[in-house]
Amino acid sequence: MNKVAQPTIVVASNKEDAARCTADLIHETLRENPASVLGLATGGTPIGVYRLLVERFLAGELDFSAVTTFNLDEYIGLGPEHGQSYRYFMQQQLFDHVNVVREQTHVPNGLASDISRHVTEYEEQIQQAGGIDLQLLGIGNNGHIAFNEPGSAAASRTRKVDLTENTIEANSRFFESAEDVPRHAITMGIGTILESRRIVLMATGKAKAQVVQASLEGPADPVNPASLLQGHAGLTFVLDPESASELQL
Ligand code: GLP
């Protein structure tokens, strides 16, 4: 009988501790291989992780000079200088403060004129880099990972997607109004994410408790994209007590 891989679940003592646990996992990966390929995420959740990585770089404990990064997603229509673009976020939170080589950082280009060609090239670049060693993920209230909204297939690849009203509403806190939130995005697919050797999903706060429970203990169903991670051999969920509060087991 084949044994299905069980995820590792880390329940940290609080949000800050969850960021420290996640930073430790990235640190460990870079210690094993300073030329690692990291998959990176945006959103509020990983901000504390990036702060710690910057601190550790400044303390001389981390070196990003040989690291390659691939971000999960980007809004279509927002360029690198737009304050809400994910390229801008990454520069502000991490890249501008460490010694990563700009050419080795990849974020989908929200202004690409030929999106279908761009997404194919993005997948090729991941392959050429040797695949992703550690992919960091957050989770949306509706279970979206990157911008793979409910209904996304487990085999989906990097592509253009429409955002749901739920996500537009949730992300409007970063914009002046919901009308300003782009309606489309480029996202790595779930199939792309599942090819990563290690996946670390971080979630904090009560608002994520239900979706975390469904993702770990419910059926693997495209209705909840994060549940499609179940069975990945290198999956870790890093939670705080609030986001873990609905877990039954
Ligand atoms: C966005 C991003 C996701 C992220 C999600 C949750 O929609 N595309 O990658 O996981 O928001 O964000 P937060 O961490 O702010 O809750």
Side-chain angles (χ1 to χ4, degrees), residues 75 78 82 84 168 172 174-183:
Y75 289 114
L78 303 193
H82 190 287
Q84 295 310 328
I168 291 167
S172 64
F174 299 114
F175 293 80
E176 272 188 25
S177 73
E179 281 78 72
D180 297 321
V181 183
R183 266 46 189 168

Side-chain angles (χ1 to χ4, degrees), residues 67-244:
V67 168
T68 301
T69 68
F70 287 92
N71 262 79
L72 289 166
D73 46 12
E74 180 61 283
Y75 289 114
I76 288 179
L78 303 193
E81 307 305 329
H82 190 287
Q84 295 310 328
S85 75
Y86 287 168
R87 163 57 79 175
Y88 187 88
F89 175 100
M90 290 310 302
Q91 293 299 139
Q92 296 290 311
Q93 301 298 331
L94 182 67
F95 299 157
D96 284 347
H97 312 291
V98 298
N99 64 341
V100 70
V101 178
R102 164 88 192 203
E103 289 68 35
Q104 288 174 198
T105 67
H106 304 85
V107 181
N109 178 4
L111 299 180
S113 53
D114 184 343
I115 293 178
S116 61
R117 195 171 122 198
H118 178 59
V119 297
T120 306
E121 284 173 357
Y122 203 71
E123 291 268 345
E124 286 168 0
Q125 286 174 321
I126 295 173
Q127 293 302 323
Q128 281 158 12
I132 293 171
D133 291 302
L134 183 150
Q135 176 65 59
L136 178 60
L137 292 179
I139 182 170
N141 298 332
N142 62 0
H144 75 244
I145 47 174
F147 271 133
N148 292 285
E149 296 280 23
S152 300
S156 54
R157 311 301 309 186
T158 303
R159 66 200 187 288
K160 176 183 172 180
V161 290
D162 302 335
L163 303 184
T164 61
E165 281 308 316
N166 177 302
T167 298
I168 291 167
E169 178 59 34
N171 290 2
S172 64
R173 68 199 144 116
F174 299 114
F175 293 80
E176 272 188 25
S177 73
E179 281 78 72
D180 297 321
V181 183
R183 266 46 189 168
H184 308 283
I186 296 170
T187 184
M188 263 190 216
I190 298 177
T192 321
I193 292 167
L194 285 170
E195 282 168 11
S196 309
R197 286 179 271 280
R198 203 150 184 208
I199 298 174
V200 179
L201 186 149
M202 181 181 169
T204 55
K206 189 79 190 144
K208 302 283 171 72
Q210 246 173 5
V211 78
V212 163
Q213 191 277 333
S215 305
L216 285 167
E217 298 177 345
D221 188 321
V223 141
N224 175 7
S227 69
L228 300 175
L229 301 171
Q230 289 174 15
H232 185 282
L235 178 62
T236 303
F237 271 54
V238 181
L239 307 171
D240 68 350
E242 292 188 332
S243 64

